[in-house]
Amino acid sequence: MTSSRALVRAIPITTVLAIVAVGLVLIALAYWRRGTVALAFAMLLAGLLRLLLSDRVIGVLAVRGKAFDVGFYALTGVAMMVLAIGLT
């Protein structure tokens, strides 16, 4: 039972980190806009997961209080998205 709980707790952070890895690879390959959009999407997804999942399931994505975490993830994700799409 304990290993299945650990696996469930690993799913949110693994998903977010996989998207971050894709974004960093895109940036390394000189697709910086696409990479930054991927990083922004990872932040927005982390915020959504933090909002929807309980503290017991969210794992290490919970850093501070729920309101702070959701606000920080959302603000950072939107700022990155605006910078990536808005710069020409």
Side-chain angles (χ1 to χ4, degrees):
M1 199 70 159
T2 305
S3 65
S4 64
R5 276 192 211 156
L7 181 62
V8 169
R9 288 187 66 168
I11 291 171
I13 189 66
T14 303
T15 304
V16 170
L17 288 178
I19 296 169
V20 168
V22 169
L24 292 177
V25 167
L26 287 171
I27 291 171
L29 295 173
Y31 296 107
W32 67 269
R33 283 182 197 253
R34 292 178 186 168
T36 305
V37 168
L39 293 176
F41 178 72
M43 292 298 286
L44 293 171
L45 178 63
L48 181 65
L49 291 172
R50 180 69 172 111
L51 181 66
L52 297 178
L53 299 177
S54 70
D55 289 342
R56 295 179 65 192
V57 176
I58 197 66
V60 298
L61 288 177
V63 179
R64 304 240 182 236
K66 185 175 269 196
F68 178 85
D69 286 346
V70 170
F72 179 78
Y73 287 136
L75 184 64
T76 305
V78 168
M80 290 175 72
M81 192 74 71
V82 167
L83 289 173
I85 294 173
L87 296 177
T88 55

